[in-house]
Amino acid sequence: MELHPLLEIRNLVTEFQTEDEIVKAVDNISFTLNKGETIGIVGESGSGKSVTSLSAMQLIPKPPGRITGGEIIFHSDDGPKDLLKLQERDMRSFRGNEIAMIFQEPMTSLNPVYTCGNQVMEVILLHHGASRVEAKKETIRLFEEVKLPRPEAIFESYPHQLSGGQKQRVMIAMAMSCHPSVLIADEPTTALDVTVQKTILELMNDLQIRHNMGILFITHDLGVIAELADRVIVMYKGHIVEQGKVLDIFNHPQHPYTKGLLACRPPLNKRLTKLPTVSDFMHEDDQGQMVEIHKSVKEMIAELVITPEQFKARHEVLYKKEPILEIKGLKTWFPAKKSLFSRTKAYVKAVDDVTFSVYPGETLGLVGESGCGKTTLGRTILKLIPPSEGNIIYKGQNITHLSTREMREYRKNMQIIFQDPYSSLNPRITIGEAIMEPMKVHGVFENDARRKERVIELLVRVSLKAEHFNRYPHEFSGGQRQRICIARALALNPQFIICDESVSALDVSVQAQVLNLLNELKSEFNFTYIFISHDLSVVKFMSDRMVVMNSGKIEEMGFADDIYMHPQTEYTRKLIDSIPKGQLEDIKRNIELKREARLSKPSS
């Protein structure tokens, strides 16, 4: 197949000025995106992948950022143009018309005070000079193309009225409104359910083939790249460390960093004692030079496998104990519609007649799509949301109807780690004070000096440092903030912890570290977890048993391996089928399907 270059990045250097130094976020990288091709750019946060895309769009904030070297060549119908030499006014004509971008978080990219239809219409009016009638007609057509349900109703809806997947489809429609040659997608599926993620990936694949676009797809998850990309670029600390065809990268990764990224995703066909991390394949010496630890991915994983017999022996001990938590007929209903005289006519049944038990030392996984009721169930168990009916029995004590004051003593033993660590931490107080706060409330230790000692012990235990005590939340990465929230949950020496989507927004490499940490702490302190996630692969790795929820009810429940290998319901099968598996057979099948689709659809 003849290659037609669309976008060439040549020796690009992008720098940011900090208080102490100049940081090269992108350091002398080069690659070419061709027409009809998808390049996956993968790496951890801080690797430079998003800065690369923002450089191509000329959206680097100046100051503190600036492009100090290289060329960005766009091949238009009028010939090649170096985008770095264009004036801002000329660059505006390229943005949207020739190069469009889908950002990571659709809620912050969409204006909350305008309807979704008006926001897409605005782009069409600005770039095409169409009438409002024509722009509305085109917007509804785009909503149909990105497979939004009820396009006319979505046109009149505000962003907060749509689900995460629907908001992302609106953003894709906006990006497609000017028929760009290049589409840049920056982590567009990171926080979405696996089922929604699969539909978004299928949609982008379909749009690319239909319009013969070039796509730069940025993600930290190589499993997602396997579903979509033709070629892969692996970035680490501003450099490209490896690039090649997707099948070659997955079959024979050369760089230890690539091996680490491939290995740290929880495998579905085996159970491991811990997840491999990047540090198992490489580390930096005192001079900052990368040192390779010679191990293949297969060898590394083979050393960590738990046999079914070992797992069965653990369960025989675990389930002889009395349950630590019993949930009986639990319901949490919210009024949805009221009559003229404020009588409730209808309810949203977020949790609807749920019954199960949790045993001491067990991790019970709670999995399902957004809106299935799993987070509401977790918060109801801790009495953060009052139950409508049913019983919550903790250590033989029915706590369902205890007052707030009576519940305070139980809260020492029952903690929660929330999904978003940044919103869980007060930005105005240091992380040391944040961890000490619950200790003060519950009178743990006799003075602040002793509490500070304990906080420093906890920080070190979660792989942070004593000097972090006086720093503020904004000074930490996402993975570090999640470790801080774990340390705060441990401050009261709880026995039962609910982890509510606590790794869903983290890089897969950081996610592996946090999951390993939770398992280490569980063994060390004999914790009992309820682990809530929409990602069935993560839940399977963490859990002894698994509860699958759908529309407020339990769809099925059983041992995690049994549910994965032999799902009993169509809903569970759909969740399993949606997981990006990154298996070689799947990649080969995807490549063949894309080839057939391109042959059957003439380019537009």
Side-chain angles (χ1 to χ4, degrees):
M1 189 176 78
E2 189 179 353
L3 300 177
H4 299 282
L6 274 176
L7 189 68
E8 287 185 81
I9 307 289
R10 300 176 183 170
N11 308 114
L12 179 67
V13 180
T14 304
E15 299 177 345
F16 287 86
Q17 177 72 56
T18 68
E19 290 181 6
D20 305 319
E21 59 180 339
I22 293 174
V23 176
K24 288 188 177 181
V26 172
D27 191 3
N28 195 30
I29 70 166
S30 300
F31 65 88
T32 300
L33 174 70
N34 299 302
K35 187 175 282 191
E37 179 183 46
T38 298
I39 290 180
I41 304 182
V42 70
E44 299 168 288
S45 294
S47 63
K49 56 191 189 298
S50 291
V51 174
T52 301
S53 65
L54 292 171
S55 298
M57 293 286 286
Q58 297 289 291
L59 292 175
I60 296 292
K62 304 172 186 176
R66 61 188 183 126
I67 297 170
T68 58
E71 300 172 299
I72 300 174
I73 309 297
F74 179 78
H75 293 265
S76 65
D77 294 337
D78 301 328
K81 288 184 174 62
D82 187 349
L83 301 184
L84 297 182
K85 293 180 179 176
L86 296 181
Q87 297 294 321
E88 175 59 26
R89 184 182 62 189
D90 298 323
M91 187 62 208
R92 264 190 226 128
S93 68
F94 274 85
R95 287 194 205 108
N97 285 324
E98 298 289 2
I99 307 175
M101 191 164 183
I102 306 164
F103 293 97
Q104 179 172 357
E105 179 44 70
M107 195 62 206
T108 56
S109 304
L110 293 168
N111 192 323
V113 300
Y114 292 101
T115 65
C116 295
N118 273 324
Q119 293 185 62
V120 178
M121 265 181 67
E122 183 184 19
V123 178
I124 296 168
L125 291 168
L126 181 67
H127 286 273
H128 288 206
S131 68
R132 293 194 68 82
V133 172
E134 291 170 333
K136 181 173 182 179
K137 186 177 178 181
E138 175 64 7
T139 299
I140 290 172
R141 188 196 68 77
L142 284 164
F143 283 176
E144 289 171 349
E145 186 174 32
V146 299
K147 299 181 173 64
L148 275 166
R150 301 170 293 105
E152 289 83 2
I154 297 281
F155 185 93
E156 301 296 341
S157 299
Y158 290 88
H160 73 272
Q161 296 175 298
L162 306 185
S163 69
Q166 288 173 336
K167 284 195 282 278
Q168 199 58 279
R169 287 170 188 269
V170 171
M171 289 298 299
I172 293 171
M174 191 182 294
M176 294 298 298
S177 62
C178 295
H179 313 293
S181 303
V182 175
L183 182 64
I184 300 173
D186 187 5
E187 302 268 16
T189 62
T190 296
L192 299 179
D193 296 341
V194 286
T195 48
V196 180
Q197 174 178 268
K198 185 177 183 181
T199 60
I200 295 294
L201 295 177
E202 288 172 348
L203 169 64
M204 293 186 68
N205 196 35
D206 182 55
L207 289 171
Q208 182 205 42
I209 292 167
R210 197 181 308 167
H211 297 282
N212 203 26
M213 294 184 298
I215 295 179
L216 279 182
F217 193 95
I218 296 165
T219 182
H220 59 255
D221 190 344
L222 273 163
V224 171
I225 289 291
E227 301 276 309
L228 191 70
D230 300 294
R231 288 192 295 130
V232 182
I233 291 171
V234 183
M235 291 191 70
Y236 176 67
K237 291 192 172 180
H239 297 273
I240 292 176
V241 295
E242 186 166 0
Q243 61 177 308
K245 292 180 180 178
V246 64
L247 193 59
D248 295 338
I249 294 290
F250 275 77
N251 208 8
H252 302 291
Q254 299 301 307
H255 197 275
Y257 182 67
T258 311
K259 294 175 186 176
L261 289 179
L262 281 167
C264 61
R265 179 83 182 163
L268 287 160
N269 56 350
K270 51 180 71 77
R271 186 171 282 276
L272 307 182
T273 54
K274 75 179 195 71
L275 291 174
T277 62
V278 171
S279 61
D280 291 315
F281 295 89
M282 59 176 275
H283 68 87
E284 290 185 357
D285 61 20
D286 296 336
Q287 285 74 45
Q289 298 299 310
M290 187 273 291
V291 179
E292 182 173 359
I293 302 169
H294 292 283
K295 251 180 192 170
S296 73
V297 175
K298 287 181 181 177
E299 287 172 352
M300 183 75 213
I301 289 175
E303 291 176 8
L304 301 172
V305 170
I306 303 173
T307 66
E309 292 74 25
Q310 289 171 313
F311 209 52
K312 185 179 178 182
R314 166 183 157 75
H315 287 165
E316 284 175 358
V317 175
L318 195 65
Y319 297 115
K320 284 179 181 176
K321 304 172 186 175
E322 289 296 313
I324 189 173
L325 179 76
E326 294 175 86
I327 304 300
K328 298 183 177 180
L330 195 65
K331 296 181 181 179
T332 307
W333 294 6
F334 300 104
K337 191 176 180 182
K338 295 197 174 184
S339 67
L340 183 64
F341 301 103
S342 295
R343 290 178 182 164
T344 302
K345 293 176 68 177
Y347 289 92
V348 173
K349 298 178 181 180
V351 177
D352 194 17
D353 197 17
V354 166
T355 299
F356 62 87
S357 298
V358 187
Y359 292 81
E362 178 183 26
T363 298
L364 181 76
L366 205 54
V367 70
E369 296 173 290
S370 293
C372 72
K374 56 190 187 294
T375 292
T376 302
L377 174 58
R379 296 187 182 201
T380 304
I381 289 168
L382 294 181
K383 298 287 299 295
L384 299 174
I385 298 173
S388 306
E389 269 185 44
N391 292 292
I392 305 162
I393 300 166
Y394 179 74
K395 286 191 166 183
Q397 172 70 44
N398 193 331
I399 64 171
T400 316
H401 303 294
L402 294 185
S403 66
T404 303
R405 204 178 80 185
E406 290 170 322
M407 267 302 294
R408 179 174 286 185
E409 191 58 34
Y410 283 91
R411 294 204 190 283
K412 285 177 67 175
N413 289 321
M414 304 171 76
Q415 288 288 303
I416 186 167
I417 302 168
F418 292 102
Q419 177 174 0
D420 183 359
Y422 195 65
S423 62
S424 306
L425 295 166
N426 188 331
R428 297 183 179 183
I429 66 172
T430 65
I431 61 124
E433 292 171 314
I435 297 170
M436 278 174 63
E437 188 178 35
M439 297 164 77
K440 289 180 181 177
V441 169
H442 289 277
V444 177
F445 300 120
E446 63 279 3
N447 56 50
D448 281 354
R450 181 66 189 93
R451 290 182 192 116
K452 184 174 180 179
E453 285 178 22
R454 176 58 178 156
V455 170
I456 290 171
E457 287 172 16
L458 290 169
L459 288 174
V460 172
R461 184 61 195 83
V462 298
S463 304
L464 295 171
K465 297 177 182 176
E467 53 263 35
H468 289 153
F469 185 95
N470 291 314
R471 293 190 187 174
Y472 290 86
H474 72 272
E475 298 179 79
F476 295 91
S477 69
Q480 287 175 320
R481 282 196 288 264
Q482 197 58 278
R483 291 171 186 271
I484 292 162
C485 289
I486 292 169
R488 187 174 62 177
L490 300 182
L492 297 176
N493 297 318
Q495 295 174 307
F496 174 75
I497 299 175
I498 292 179
C499 303
D500 185 10
E501 298 274 16
S502 51
V503 296
S504 63
L506 301 179
D507 293 345
V508 286
S509 53
V510 179
Q511 175 181 281
Q513 294 167 21
V514 172
L515 293 175
N516 288 340
L517 172 63
L518 288 169
N519 276 336
E520 287 167 20
L521 293 170
K522 175 183 167 183
S523 298
E524 189 175 328
F525 298 104
N526 198 31
F527 291 143
T528 303
Y529 290 137
I530 287 183
F531 193 90
I532 300 171
S533 179
H534 61 254
D535 188 338
L536 199 142
S537 62
V538 170
V539 171
K540 180 182 176 294
F541 167 72
M542 289 294 290
S543 305
D544 297 289
R545 288 184 304 142
M546 189 190 298
V547 173
V548 182
M549 284 192 72
N550 182 22
S551 302
K553 293 182 177 292
I554 291 178
E555 190 81 13
E556 63 179 295
M557 177 167 54
F559 290 114
D561 292 354
D562 292 345
I563 285 180
Y564 176 71
M565 296 302 295
H566 308 290
Q568 299 301 304
T569 69
E570 185 59 37
Y571 179 76
T572 309
R573 276 191 286 274
K574 184 179 77 167
L575 286 179
I576 293 168
D577 291 342
S578 300
I579 303 168
K581 298 175 180 67
Q583 300 296 316
L584 294 179
E585 296 76 17
D586 297 326
I587 297 169
K588 289 174 184 174
R589 187 170 63 252
N590 288 339
I591 291 169
E592 186 59 31
L593 289 172
K594 287 177 81 169
R595 191 185 72 82
E596 290 173 2
R598 283 167 178 156
L599 289 173
S600 63
K601 288 187 180 182
S603 60
S604 59

